[in-house]
Amino acid sequence: MVTRGIGVEPRRTLPPLPRPEIPVSVSPTSIKPEPLGTPAPATPPATVKAEVQNLNFFYGTHQAVKNVSLRLLENHVTALIGPSGCGKTTLLRCFNRMHDLYPNTRYDGRIILNPGGINIVDRAVNPIEMRMRISMVFQKPNPFPKSIYENVAYGLRLRGLKSRSELEGRVEVALRGAALWDEVKDRLKKQAYDLSGGQQQRLCIARALAIEPEIVLFDEPTSALDPVATGKIEELMYELKSRLTIIIVTHNMQQAARVSDYTAFMYLGELVEVDQTAKIFQNPSKPLTEQYISGRFG
Amino acid sequence: MLDARAMIARGRRRDAAFNILGWACAVVVLSALAALLTNLCIQGLSRIDWQFLTSFPSRRPQQAGILSAWVGSILVILVTACTAIPLGVAAGIYLEEYARKNWFTTIIEINIVNLAGVPSIIYGLMALGLFVYQFHFGQSILSGGLTLAFLILPIVIVATREAMRAIPKHIREAAYALGATRLEVVRHHLLPYSAGGIGTGVIIGISRAIGETAPLVTIGALTFIAFLPPSPIVVDPALQIQPFKWIMSPFTVLPIQMFNWVSRPGEEFLKNAAAAGVVLMVVTLGLNAAAIVVRHRIRRRIKW
């Protein structure tokens, strides 16, 4: 059950976002919007939000992801860790089909997205439809050279939202959700690049939240930030997971330990081990994981 | 043993020598340009007055003017801009954002860059065959404008592509990740962010087109025009709207008018030529200044 709750702070109820009609080959029911009022169960049973099944990914002839199978639980944070070049970012970018932007890339296998059971990496599935449900926060803060307001509103505008009052409401909700509202509410029309790095990254998170995604992909979101800004974003993730599913790629093992419920360790394109974060960090079952965690390589 | 102090002293002397050499080169180049401009101004400036700007060419140098030439220049450039900008920008966007990278598009790319180096008179020959004889546009403003449009098309295409390439990958990815289509990425992001670069390229192309003579002479632009193209609105004797009639009219342009005067005997005509040259220089330098301003203003707004 998706609980697409709206912001933390204001208790305004906004109608569900209109999702553009996109022809879907697999299951047209999948883009039916869930009503916002859906009450969240007190202790939500962990449902599988997405399931990676025997996924392989190729850049030309180079195989970057090798036969990965992985379950992502709804309302949980899953961290992908591993040394540079192990394929964790590549795996992350399969979820919103970012690889489609570049030539000579090939997916093989399945990523099943629930509800709807759509195979994300099926070439017949329109990547835009997936990006409407799954949003992304990048390594480097990448706001558009537009105003703060326009940055957050952009995803909503793409979905055809025109009403000014509704846009304003949703922008506020998203900015509050990213814990940025109080810092920028008086200068929404100012350029996004006037913000500090940490604020820019939270703006990018607000931009990703505004479209009410089911999953947010974080690609090393704090690697360009100082410890204070990093702390804020980690807190944010903790709050966000009550209403969506998070996958985070990180180089920082302490970060993985702090923010995630499950951790997947990847090495040379393969998934070595995935388990509850505490288990991975305290008592991993594979020696390779243990070596990486204890800093003996990577 | 190396003597560090001697080495440093020698390095300094060389540094100073190179400094002087570079300065001297810059002075030579700049003073040549300054001499050119001063000479032009001394000869021509006194000749520029209201009469000169509002008179048609004449057998009598004192009564001659550049009215038909500057009107012709503006109209030809109007046609050029209206054709070259949309065509060039669209082609640039296609090559940069849509075209698959394969041997075919690589050949196209190389050839576009090469086209920028083709002598302008070759474009004139092409235009003579295509526009004048094949399409029967005649020796008109339309033919002239299209010829110059083809001439500056590579400049516009290359400027568009370079401006788009300068937009960082992560900005594109941010837009795509939010679910934008390719057209939306181009319209909402790439075009607005590259407007400065494209605008600069367009203005530089146009200022080159204004000074072109050879291709227009080749298609048969006249050197002596004592009338203006038909106005789009005629009030007398009856109200007539003919918005595009001027486009088929014969024309002359400033550099052709100048060439015509230079080739005539007599000091007075040379003075006229210099005066026309000053006008041409002012227009071209003004456009280049505009290009700098445009680039600067848009750059200031866009950062990543």
Side-chain angles (χ1 to χ4, degrees), chain B residues 162-173:
Chain B
E162 272 167 15
M164 297 222 151
R165 211 172 301 162
I167 298 170
K169 198 177 77 171
H170 60 249
I171 296 283
R172 276 167 234 247
E173 289 196 344

Side-chain angles (χ1 to χ4, degrees), chain A residues 144-158:
Chain A
F144 302 125
K146 297 178 188 280
S147 71
I148 294 169
Y149 178 85
E150 280 305 323
N151 263 280
V152 183
Y154 185 65
L156 300 168
R157 290 194 196 278
L158 284 180

Side-chain angles (χ1 to χ4, degrees), chain B residues 116 151-160 201-202 204-205 208:
Chain B
L151 185 74
I152 69 167
L153 209 46
I155 301 176
V156 178
I157 294 175
V158 170
T160 303
V202 164
I204 286 172
R208 169 161 179 211

Side-chain angles (χ1 to χ4, degrees), chain B residues 6-192:
Chain B
M7 265 179 62
I8 292 168
R10 199 170 63 223
R12 270 193 178 166
R13 279 196 303 277
R14 286 183 177 175
D15 210 24
F18 186 76
N19 203 346
I20 292 167
L21 183 73
W23 193 80
C25 289
V27 166
V28 168
V29 171
L30 285 178
S31 50
L33 191 66
L36 197 76
L37 279 176
T38 327
N39 184 32
L40 207 59
C41 285
I42 290 171
Q43 276 198 312
L45 213 50
S46 61
R47 184 65 188 86
I48 298 176
D49 54 16
W50 188 244
Q51 177 273 326
F52 186 68
L53 295 176
T54 55
S55 302
F56 290 112
S58 161
R59 281 187 293 122
R60 287 175 287 276
Q62 295 303 341
Q63 288 167 24
I66 56 168
L67 179 63
S68 52
W70 69 256
V71 171
S73 270
I74 287 175
L75 294 179
V76 167
I77 290 302
L78 192 68
V79 173
T80 303
C82 290
T83 344
I85 296 172
L87 269 181
V89 172
I93 291 171
Y94 172 76
L95 286 172
E96 199 54 31
E97 290 299 315
Y98 284 80
R100 289 175 163 273
K101 304 280 174 269
N102 55 27
W103 62 270
F104 185 67
T105 48
T106 309
I107 288 176
I108 292 180
E109 276 169 34
I110 294 170
N111 276 302
I112 285 173
V113 177
N114 284 342
L115 277 180
V118 170
S120 58
I121 195 153
I122 307 288
Y123 282 96
L125 267 183
M126 185 274 295
L128 182 68
L130 193 67
F131 302 137
V132 181
Y133 293 139
Q134 198 65 42
F135 296 160
H136 302 290
F137 290 163
Q139 291 150 359
S140 61
I141 291 174
L142 181 64
S143 295
L146 290 178
T147 310
L148 296 184
F150 271 80
L151 185 74
I152 69 167
L153 209 46
I155 301 176
V156 178
I157 294 175
V158 170
T160 303
R161 297 193 61 188
E162 272 167 15
M164 297 222 151
R165 211 172 301 162
I167 298 170
K169 198 177 77 171
H170 60 249
I171 296 283
R172 276 167 234 247
E173 289 196 344
Y176 280 117
L178 286 168
T181 62
R182 216 187 297 216
L183 184 63
E184 284 164 338
V185 171
V186 168
R187 267 183 46 214
H188 302 154
H189 301 283
L190 303 185
L191 268 183

Side-chain angles (χ1 to χ4, degrees), chain A residues 93 96 98 101-102 128 131-132 134 136 138 140 142-146 154-155 158-159 191 193-194 207, chain B residues 100 169-181 184-185 188-189 192-193 301-304:
Chain A
R93 289 163 68 95
N96 63 348
M98 283 312 263
L101 300 179
Y102 303 98
I128 290 172
R131 292 171 198 153
M132 295 266 171
I134 301 175
M136 188 168 200
F138 294 81
K140 202 180 152 227
N142 58 353
F144 302 125
K146 297 178 188 280
Y154 185 65
L158 284 180
R159 282 153 183 77
Q191 280 291 310
Y193 273 82
D194 295 339
R207 185 174 67 186
Chain B
R100 289 175 163 273
K169 198 177 77 171
H170 60 249
I171 296 283
R172 276 167 234 247
E173 289 196 344
Y176 280 117
L178 286 168
T181 62
E184 284 164 338
V185 171
H188 302 154
H189 301 283
Y193 307 158
R301 273 197 292 117
I302 289 171
K303 281 180 271 180
W304 21 70

Side-chain angles (χ1 to χ4, degrees), chain A residues 252-283:
Chain A
N252 181 333
M253 278 184 278
Q254 285 79 19
Q255 182 168 63
R258 282 192 300 262
V259 302
S260 69
D261 304 300
Y262 287 86
T263 296
F265 171 58
M266 289 183 72
Y267 185 64
L268 298 177
E270 288 177 44
L271 181 71
V272 178
E273 186 175 356
V274 55
D275 213 324
Q276 296 198 335
T277 299
K279 171 90 165 46
I280 289 276
F281 281 95
Q282 283 155 21
N283 185 21

Side-chain angles (χ1 to χ4, degrees), chain A:
Chain A
M1 180 55 54
V2 190
T3 52
R4 206 174 295 130
I6 215 143
V8 193
E9 268 286 303
R11 308 291 174 200
R12 319 170 47 169
T13 22
L14 295 167
L17 269 183
R19 291 196 186 278
E21 294 283 331
I22 297 169
V24 189
S25 53
V26 183
S27 160
T29 58
S30 59
I31 52 168
K32 205 196 293 172
E34 294 282 332
L36 272 174
T38 315
T43 44
T47 43
V48 177
K49 182 66 203 168
E51 183 163 4
V52 182
Q53 296 170 346
N54 304 102
L55 185 74
N56 295 291
F57 179 80
F58 301 86
Y59 292 110
T61 54
H62 170 71
Q63 186 170 5
V65 173
K66 293 174 185 161
N67 201 31
V68 168
S69 294
L70 179 64
R71 272 190 184 160
L72 301 164
L73 297 182
E74 184 153 22
N75 301 104
H76 284 75
V77 178
T78 306
L80 301 178
I81 61 168
S84 298
C86 71
K88 52 192 191 304
T89 295
T90 306
L91 173 62
L92 189 80
R93 289 163 68 95
C94 290
F95 281 88
N96 63 348
R97 296 271 296 271
M98 283 312 263
H99 300 301
D100 287 37
L101 300 179
Y102 303 98
N104 292 323
T105 55
R106 187 161 67 82
Y107 309 89
D108 176 53
R110 285 145 54 96
I111 301 179
I112 302 297
L113 178 65
N114 293 317
I118 300 179
N119 176 15
I120 294 176
V121 297
D122 186 342
R123 281 281 174 190
V125 169
N126 190 330
I128 290 172
E129 185 208 337
M130 294 300 110
R131 292 171 198 153
M132 295 266 171
R133 295 176 65 180
I134 301 175
S135 57
M136 188 168 200
V137 176
F138 294 81
Q139 182 171 0
K140 202 180 152 227
N142 58 353
F144 302 125
K146 297 178 188 280
S147 71
I148 294 169
Y149 178 85
E150 280 305 323
N151 263 280
V152 183
Y154 185 65
L156 300 168
R157 290 194 196 278
L158 284 180
R159 282 153 183 77
L161 207 61
K162 291 206 176 69
S163 143
R164 216 184 127 156
S165 58
E166 204 183 333
L167 276 173
E168 281 173 0
R170 285 183 190 277
V171 167
E172 178 178 341
V173 166
L175 282 169
R176 282 186 192 276
L180 190 61
W181 174 253
D182 291 331
E183 293 161 60
V184 301
K185 64 179 177 220
D186 301 323
R187 44 174 177 156
L188 291 176
K189 302 288 169 203
K190 289 269 165 62
Q191 280 291 310
Y193 273 82
D194 295 339
L195 298 174
S196 72
Q199 287 174 325
Q200 285 185 22
Q201 192 64 307
R202 275 180 286 145
L203 180 67
C204 293
I205 294 175
R207 185 174 67 186
L209 291 179
I211 60 171
E212 291 174 16
E214 297 165 38
I215 302 180
V216 180
L217 310 170
F218 285 89
D219 183 6
E220 297 184 40
T222 61
S223 63
L225 304 181
D226 65 63
V228 176
T230 301
K232 280 188 185 159
I233 284 173
E234 288 178 2
E235 261 171 56
L236 206 54
M237 272 187 238
Y238 191 79
E239 280 167 26
L240 290 175
K241 73 175 178 182
S242 63
R243 52 199 176 95
L244 38 80
T245 306
I246 291 176
I247 314 175
I248 173 173
V249 162
T250 179
H251 261 300
N252 181 333
M253 278 184 278
Q254 285 79 19
Q255 182 168 63
R258 282 192 300 262
V259 302
S260 69
D261 304 300
Y262 287 86
T263 296
F265 171 58
M266 289 183 72
Y267 185 64
L268 298 177
E270 288 177 44
L271 181 71
V272 178
E273 186 175 356
V274 55
D275 213 324
Q276 296 198 335
T277 299
K279 171 90 165 46
I280 289 276
F281 281 95
Q282 283 155 21
N283 185 21
S285 46
K286 299 271 169 63
L288 198 61
T289 314
E290 203 271 323
Q291 282 171 23
Y292 182 68
I293 300 293
S294 56
R296 255 172 279 167
F297 74 95

